[in-house]
Amino acid sequence: MDLTKENIQNLRQDYRSASLSENDVDSNPILQFKKWFQDAVNSQLYEPNVMTLATSDRFGKPTARIVLLKGIDEDGFVFYTNYESKKGHDIVENPQAALVFFWPELERQVRIEGMVSKVSEEVSSEYFHSRPIGSQIGAMASPQSEVISGRELLERKVEQLTTQYAGQEIPRPLHWGGYLVEPTHIEFWQGRPSRLHDRIIYDFVEGSWIINRLAP
């Protein structure tokens, strides 16, 4: 297909697989998210924990990238990264973030906004040591988000660290660990026909979750 403006404009799907009502959702959005996430896992979707993470610096300049959800509990959503990366610097300057999950096979999307803080060093170390050895070495070797002269630099560093820590436990780098996104706003989106989608939002107000419906 030629990428003409008309062809791009005509790329569309009519969503019909399900509906979403404020009368059916759980009163707790974390439990509602877990239900939808379990549906995605049960449907054997490819990496259902893929999410877009959006941050911004002190000037409000936004940046978005794909990361992986690695934990969910009553406090919020956890991911891991290099604290000295672009996202890490953004979070220091502006500790707010947005997450987006999109499961097209289920015609569902979840949008999350909240405050960001580091998880404990103990939690970060426990997760770090649960990762494959190659991933642990990679976290040590990569100066994430920095300009480098070439891939050879990384490969030499990986080779050096692999030799150095052969047969030993690899220490978690202090510049690597987890972040918790504690939500204040969560939206559940279910695709519907004719673009009249269902949008149910939760806002955390004075210690309680308030549920409303948004126009599509």
Side-chain angles (χ1 to χ4, degrees):
M1 182 184 71
D2 294 334
L3 294 180
T4 65
K5 180 177 72 172
E6 290 74 16
N7 285 339
I8 293 173
Q9 290 175 345
N10 288 326
L11 288 171
R12 59 171 53 91
Q13 296 290 330
D14 204 24
Y15 303 118
R16 297 180 177 275
S17 67
S19 62
L20 183 65
S21 167
E22 51 268 64
N23 298 319
D24 298 332
V25 296
D26 196 284
S27 60
N28 184 322
I30 299 296
L31 296 181
Q32 180 63 34
F33 178 86
K34 286 183 174 181
K35 177 181 182 301
W36 270 23
F37 189 80
Q38 189 64 59
D39 288 345
V41 172
N42 292 346
S43 297
Q44 298 183 326
L45 304 189
Y46 177 73
E47 292 195 312
N49 59 330
V50 165
M51 61 186 185
T52 299
L53 165 69
T55 57
S56 63
D57 62 19
R58 66 183 182 275
F59 302 110
K61 181 181 179 182
T63 306
R65 76 289 284 163
I66 298 297
V67 297
L68 298 177
L69 177 70
K70 288 298 181 180
I72 171 68
D73 60 26
E74 65 276 5
D75 293 323
F77 304 81
V78 176
F79 66 94
Y80 292 85
T81 190
N82 186 315
Y83 292 144
E84 297 175 357
S85 64
K86 176 66 169 66
K87 65 182 84 65
H89 288 299
D90 279 357
I91 290 168
V92 168
E93 296 180 1
N94 183 5
Q96 303 177 81
L99 307 173
V100 179
F101 292 84
F102 181 47
W103 300 305
E105 296 87 347
L106 301 177
E107 300 175 354
R108 287 174 175 175
Q109 173 182 263
V110 182
R111 296 175 55 243
I112 298 156
E113 299 171 6
M115 302 300 295
V116 189
S117 60
K118 290 181 179 179
V119 304
S120 70
E121 292 189 8
E122 292 75 16
V123 169
S124 288
S125 293
E126 179 181 3
Y127 173 69
F128 180 81
H129 289 118
S130 75
R131 305 176 85 208
I133 297 299
S135 296
Q136 295 181 41
I137 292 290
M140 296 188 73
S142 175
Q144 191 175 114
S145 300
E146 294 184 15
V147 175
I148 58 176
S149 59
R151 185 175 178 83
E152 296 78 10
L153 181 148
L154 290 176
E155 293 173 345
R156 287 196 301 271
K157 187 65 174 176
V158 166
E159 184 177 355
Q160 172 196 332
L161 291 170
T162 301
T163 300
Q164 179 180 348
Y165 290 105
Q168 304 178 46
E169 180 176 89
I170 301 169
R172 176 181 64 87
L174 296 181
H175 62 261
W176 191 96
Y179 285 111
L180 170 71
V181 179
E182 188 172 359
T184 56
H185 176 94
I186 302 181
E187 176 188 326
F188 293 86
W189 178 100
Q190 178 69 61
R192 297 296 301 277
S194 302
R195 294 298 186 262
L196 295 177
H197 311 304
D198 289 327
R199 298 175 64 190
I200 305 299
I201 62 163
Y202 295 73
D203 286 298
F204 196 66
V205 180
E206 297 181 351
S208 299
W209 287 103
I210 308 300
I211 302 175
N212 284 294
R213 173 178 288 268
L214 293 180

